[in-house]
Amino acid sequence: MKEIRKPLTVIISSILVIGLTFVGGYFAGINQLPDAEIVDNTSNSDNLKLPGEQEKRVITIEEINSELVKISELSTYASEYEVTKSADYTRYFLDDIPVPGTTNNTTLKCKGIVKVGYDLSEINPVVDNDSCKIYIALPEIAVNDNYIIWETVECIEDNNILNPIDFSQYKQLVTEMEALGLKDAEDNGIYKNGEKYVQELITNFLRCFDGYEVIFI
């Protein structure tokens, strides 16, 4: 039987075809991979953060002032007082000679309210973002209001028909009672209590700035 031999060129050509087919299939498979599987190793390491690391918060004076404005109407501290005041009124002849039988007496007893507070627009806070501290210097406390509660007024009077008490005398008596009430409130620490109240109020409102400590100077 006659042996059939293939030419050498045919064998080489077959090997080249098989090799090219393998290589083409390999690169075609790579091009079909999803984008998520392609890893980019060119990212900047400076943008990486350690686990649990957070960006430091920085607050401004404007942010603090906006919170202080919210409590401007709440910064008033009130104290109630109770006073009694008596007065004698006599009619005089020639301004220095009392007229007999013209003396009358009035006694008023009542409750009143004294209100003290701060003008928070005068506060100039200082922020130290490095130490996370907010420094507050309160202005001088002031009396915002002082008045008699008219529903509580009790009046005892011995009114002489020859010298009836007029409205101006009552008004003067009320003014003196309000002054006594203020003195009573001051003696009972209204300014100290008002300062403590406002400090607590400001501290509570500024707790929105987490991590910062409020210090009054």
Side-chain angles (χ1 to χ4, degrees):
M1 186 174 180
K2 187 177 180 179
E3 183 180 359
I4 301 176
R5 294 184 177 181
K6 295 182 179 180
L8 182 59
T9 56
V10 174
I11 296 173
I12 294 174
S13 298
S14 299
I15 294 173
L16 290 175
V17 170
I18 294 172
L20 290 174
T21 301
F22 175 78
V23 172
Y26 173 78
F27 283 103
I30 291 179
N31 292 332
Q32 293 177 359
L33 287 175
D35 293 340
E37 296 183 11
I38 300 177
V39 179
D40 183 8
N41 293 322
T42 62
S43 61
N44 190 346
S45 61
D46 293 339
N47 295 327
L48 298 178
K49 292 184 178 181
L50 296 176
E53 183 181 3
Q54 296 182 352
E55 184 177 350
K56 180 178 176 62
R57 182 178 184 183
V58 176
I59 63 174
T60 64
I61 300 298
E62 289 74 16
E63 290 179 286
I64 297 176
N65 285 333
S66 67
E67 293 299 321
L68 294 178
V69 168
K70 296 177 184 178
I71 64 175
S72 59
E73 296 182 0
L74 303 176
S75 63
T76 299
Y77 180 82
S79 177
E80 185 177 292
Y81 58 81
E82 183 174 344
V83 293
T84 301
K85 176 70 175 177
S86 297
D88 294 328
Y89 300 99
T90 302
R91 180 167 293 180
Y92 287 87
F93 177 72
L94 298 178
D95 295 332
D96 58 357
I97 303 175
V99 178
T102 62
T103 300
N104 56 48
N105 177 272
T106 300
T107 299
L108 291 182
K109 181 180 179 181
C110 64
K111 294 181 180 179
I113 296 289
V114 175
K115 296 181 179 181
V116 296
Y118 295 88
D119 184 356
L120 298 186
S121 65
E122 295 182 1
I123 294 180
N124 296 311
V126 176
V127 182
D128 187 343
N129 284 298
D130 293 330
S131 62
C132 295
K133 289 182 173 57
I134 302 172
Y135 295 95
I136 301 289
L138 292 174
E140 186 176 357
I141 194 169
V143 177
N144 292 341
D145 206 353
N146 180 16
Y147 58 88
I148 297 296
I149 305 174
W150 291 104
E151 294 81 1
T152 66
V153 174
E154 298 179 17
C155 180
I156 302 174
E157 60 183 11
D158 181 13
N159 199 351
N160 194 301
I161 193 172
L162 298 177
N163 183 28
I165 301 174
D166 58 29
F167 178 76
S168 63
Q169 292 171 324
Y170 280 115
K171 185 177 180 180
Q172 177 62 31
L173 191 56
V174 168
T175 300
E176 294 174 2
M177 295 179 72
E178 289 174 342
L180 288 174
L182 175 59
K183 180 64 168 53
D184 181 70
E186 291 174 338
D187 291 342
N188 284 289
I190 188 172
Y191 297 131
K192 183 177 180 180
N193 292 333
E195 179 183 18
K196 180 180 178 181
Y197 168 74
V198 170
Q199 287 180 351
E200 292 176 351
L201 195 64
I202 291 175
T203 300
N204 288 334
F205 264 78
L206 296 186
R207 279 179 179 164
C208 60
F209 303 115
D210 187 39
Y212 280 75
E213 179 185 4
V214 180
I215 299 177
F216 293 93
I217 57 177

